[in-house]
Amino acid sequence: MKRQTNLLDALNRDDIVIGRVVDFAPAHDLLYPLDFTNANKELTSDILEDTDLFTNWVENKLQLNACRYGIGGYNEHRSIYARSAHFDTDEEPRRLHLGVDIWGPAGTPVYNFHDAVVHSFKFNNNFGDYGGTIILKYVLGDVVIHALYGHLSVACLDGLEEGMYIPSGQQFATFGAKEENGFWPPHLHFQLIFNMQALKGDYPGVCQYSKRDIYLNNCPDPAPILKHTFSSALV
């Protein structure tokens, strides 16, 4: 918990400026909270098993509620991962989500919220996986933190090198289409990670519920970063 307290302290410093992650105008844009737990009875197995139907369901939710993006998912126990064997293990399936998802159209620009360097990147090309993935490393005061950006277009990986400097405010990625984002409706998986545990280009975005405390301690809530994008609209 000390690391999370130190992160919040760093984010409150006047000399650390946090920028946007996606385009958003709080004066007129809205967010729609999406629930992917068992409480959501609208998401039948027929919808979840067909990426196009799943995408249409998300798009309809946003259109009907006049929202620019859907959002949610941190520390959410999600039933939707039953759609992919990627989240199954012998002892216990992985169902607890460790990041925040921002749901919107393929091609949506993604921006760097603070000066960073490329930690690693990879095309995680499994059904239900991240697809295009970029992990950036940040130094915020005395805190070193990583941000994993998943479900990106594969073209975003072109020209990247580990250690490459990405300045604050630069667009460096876009939301990927289903064929390159792990066959999900287009969205950004945004996850903070203290210790990468020697992994490169990948880190679990979903964990077993029995390991919830371990992973949440290493993956703090991204809301303090995202509030600078969404302002009072963040739910």
Side-chain angles (χ1 to χ4, degrees):
M1 295 301 293
K2 182 178 179 181
R3 292 182 300 183
Q4 300 193 22
T5 300
N6 290 344
L7 174 62
L8 292 175
D9 289 344
L11 293 174
N12 287 325
R13 286 173 42 167
D14 292 337
D15 61 331
I16 295 179
V17 178
I18 303 299
R20 62 183 171 171
V21 173
V22 293
D23 289 314
F24 191 78
H28 56 78
D29 288 336
L30 298 174
L31 295 171
Y32 185 79
L34 287 169
D35 177 0
F36 292 122
T37 69
N38 280 326
N40 186 344
K41 303 303 182 183
E42 293 183 34
L43 283 175
T44 63
S45 57
D46 288 342
I47 293 174
L48 290 175
E49 290 170 5
D50 186 316
T51 304
D52 291 331
L53 290 179
F54 192 4
T55 300
N56 290 339
W57 183 88
V58 172
E59 291 176 346
N60 287 338
K61 283 294 181 185
L62 301 186
Q63 291 172 3
L64 288 172
N65 292 278
C67 289
R68 184 165 187 177
Y69 303 109
I71 196 166
Y74 181 71
N75 192 21
E76 184 175 73
H77 195 262
R78 290 179 162 182
S79 56
I80 61 172
Y81 296 121
R83 73 192 292 264
S84 170
H86 179 66
F87 300 99
D88 292 337
T89 64
D90 291 338
E91 63 274 19
E92 178 189 353
R94 296 188 293 133
R95 296 291 185 265
L96 190 82
H97 193 245
L98 299 171
V100 168
D101 287 334
I102 303 171
W103 303 80
T108 296
V110 179
Y111 303 90
N112 188 18
F113 66 84
H114 192 272
D115 293 342
V117 296
V118 176
H119 172 274
S120 52
F121 54 95
K122 185 180 178 183
F123 182 33
N124 293 292
N125 190 25
N126 299 300
F127 182 80
D129 210 333
Y130 287 130
T133 311
I134 299 174
I135 301 172
L136 301 184
K137 179 180 178 181
Y138 300 84
V139 179
L140 303 173
D142 297 328
V143 177
V144 176
I145 191 101
H146 306 82
L148 185 151
Y149 300 82
H151 308 297
L152 307 175
S153 65
V154 177
C156 302
L157 310 183
D158 293 344
L160 289 183
E161 296 179 4
E162 291 185 12
M164 176 185 290
Y165 174 66
I166 308 289
S168 180
Q170 178 172 310
Q171 179 190 337
F172 68 96
T174 57
F175 291 16
K178 66 177 182 179
E179 294 83 4
E180 53 190 357
N181 78 357
F183 279 87
W184 290 97
H187 71 288
L188 171 70
H189 174 92
F190 180 70
Q191 179 175 339
L192 300 180
I193 306 160
F194 287 115
N195 184 352
M196 285 297 301
Q197 300 170 338
L199 296 175
K200 288 191 174 185
D202 196 8
Y203 188 89
V206 182
C207 74
Q208 298 164 328
Y209 192 81
S210 63
K211 298 178 180 178
R212 173 178 179 268
D213 291 342
I214 295 172
Y215 276 96
L216 292 183
N217 185 54
N218 193 41
C219 301
D221 189 347
I225 299 290
L226 293 175
K227 73 177 184 180
H228 295 272
T229 298
F230 298 121
S231 187
S232 60
L234 183 59
V235 294

